[in-house]
Amino acid sequence: MTLPRRGFLAGAGATLGALALAGCQTAQDYANDPMGAANQLSQLMSSHGESAPVDEAALGEGLYPRLVAQSGGAYGNPRIQSAVRSFAQPLFRTSKRSFRWEITVLDDNSPNAWALPGGKLGINKGMLRYVASESELAAVISHEMGHAELSHQIAELESKGSTDKLVAFFKDVAQREIDAKVSGLHDLTSQGLDALAPAMSELITSGYSRDHEREADAYILTVFRATGYDPRQASAVFKTLDSLVPPGTEATTSLFSTHPGTRDRIERLDDAAARLPAGGSAGSADFATIKAVFPTRRYYLRNPAEAS
């Protein structure tokens, strides 16, 4: 069973909402007819060819605490969490999606960031150590916003077969664990999210298709034009990331692609930025707060003897 591109979103939202709120009569029906339950679950997951943003929001809301926990947990400095949230707000306001945008600083030293459907972002404290300017931090956040804004996670999960796996999972649970209590339906929903979390985690931390990465890169310029950042600074963080990785390393994240991937992305961004009006942003007190805790590291991993 293959779901349409947006069908998975609608199904996840329906499962999170409709099933969790199902009445006792429905629960009893599930107990008496396991295969009917399985079929109804599949229908819930495929009944909407188009979905509203709330479907993506439901999926993101469900997965966010799981992925934060799997990514080292939230960094335990409230001042930094507040500063990053405040810094991101003007960027979030450029979105045309009705998401409840949210960002969490993660207790992870690797320089990376990620986004879930529905506008839920994570940024590693290791990334904060290497962004040298407001523009670099804004570019990281804007790039991850682009993945959520353009529903890249959903398209990627579908292309990798994860939607079929999720439907099969719900059928299996319906067959094996139809204890037909409403609390059991809550458990079923939770287990469905637990089953999906590893696939989502691998996707958002290891990178997307080349086309999706290029679209997210281009989205940086959209946000920069709306907020006044200089488009010519959009590629600076990618140059930093390219310097962080020793030659010959085979690695891919949402923000870094093994050579020549990242350099190609830099060239594309620079070419597009050159055709746009220059901009500039005023000094950010929030960025100053971030840098007071995470001074920018100037020595990169290509020079391990000099690394700070």
Side-chain angles (χ1 to χ4, degrees):
M1 176 181 177
T2 301
L3 301 182
R5 172 172 178 173
R6 301 283 181 143
F8 171 75
L9 295 175
T15 303
L16 285 164
L19 288 183
L21 298 174
C24 294
Q25 182 60 51
T26 302
Q28 187 60 46
D29 290 342
Y30 284 174
N32 295 334
D33 183 11
M35 289 314 298
N39 290 334
Q40 185 167 347
L41 285 166
S42 296
Q43 291 168 8
L44 280 170
M45 297 184 70
S46 61
S47 61
H48 302 281
E50 295 293 330
S51 72
V54 67
D55 298 314
E56 293 181 72
L59 182 59
E61 290 279 358
L63 286 173
Y64 198 40
R66 290 167 168 81
L67 271 294
V68 167
Q70 291 176 19
S71 303
Y75 178 56
N77 184 324
R79 187 172 174 225
I80 287 296
Q81 296 288 356
S82 178
V84 171
R85 286 195 301 268
S86 180
F87 181 91
Q89 286 309 308
L91 309 175
F92 291 161
R93 285 195 290 270
T94 67
S95 171
K96 299 186 183 303
R97 307 293 298 273
S98 56
F99 295 151
R100 291 178 60 249
W101 290 91
E102 187 175 354
I103 187 167
T104 299
V105 179
L106 305 168
D107 197 2
D108 186 318
N109 287 319
S110 60
N112 201 16
W114 49 256
L116 292 175
K120 303 301 183 186
L121 277 62
I123 184 168
N124 293 354
K125 68 181 184 182
M127 190 77 244
L128 299 180
R129 287 195 170 104
Y130 286 101
V131 289
S133 67
E134 294 176 44
S135 295
E136 290 193 25
L137 180 55
V140 171
I141 295 171
S142 300
H143 175 91
E144 297 304 333
M145 283 180 63
H147 286 309
E149 185 88 1
L150 301 172
S151 300
H152 286 164
Q153 301 92 345
I154 307 309
E156 294 268 352
L157 285 174
E158 182 188 29
S159 70
K160 295 176 180 179
S162 292
T163 50
D164 289 342
K165 291 178 182 177
L166 189 57
V167 170
F169 168 82
F170 275 115
K171 285 188 174 182
D172 184 54
V173 171
Q175 182 70 55
R176 291 185 296 105
E177 300 185 15
I178 263 335
D179 191 3
K181 297 177 182 177
V182 173
S183 62
L185 297 178
H186 282 285
D187 292 341
L188 181 150
T189 300
S190 178
Q191 290 169 24
L193 290 169
D194 287 343
L196 181 59
M200 182 68 79
S201 178
E202 180 180 2
L203 166 64
I204 63 177
T205 57
S206 64
Y208 299 75
S209 70
R210 180 166 295 187
D211 285 345
H212 285 157
E213 294 294 8
R214 287 172 176 170
E215 289 175 1
D217 292 348
Y219 189 78
I220 298 172
L221 299 179
T222 299
V223 175
F224 273 31
R225 290 184 69 184
T227 53
Y229 285 102
D230 189 351
R232 289 158 182 77
Q233 298 300 314
S235 68
V237 71
F238 295 102
K239 295 171 184 175
T240 294
L241 289 168
D242 192 46
S243 298
L244 282 171
V245 181
T249 298
E250 293 186 3
T252 300
T253 71
S254 175
L255 294 167
F256 176 83
S257 307
T258 300
H259 179 76
T262 296
R263 294 188 183 182
D264 287 345
R265 291 165 67 177
I266 291 169
E267 290 178 6
R268 285 175 175 270
L269 263 176
D270 287 345
D271 287 345
R275 297 190 292 270
L276 298 174
S281 58
S284 164
D286 294 314
F287 188 75
T289 296
I290 294 166
K291 288 290 94 179
V293 177
F294 296 110
T296 303
R297 290 185 173 177
R298 300 293 181 178
Y299 297 105
Y300 300 150
L301 298 184
R302 280 190 178 171
N303 305 300
E306 300 175 321
S308 60

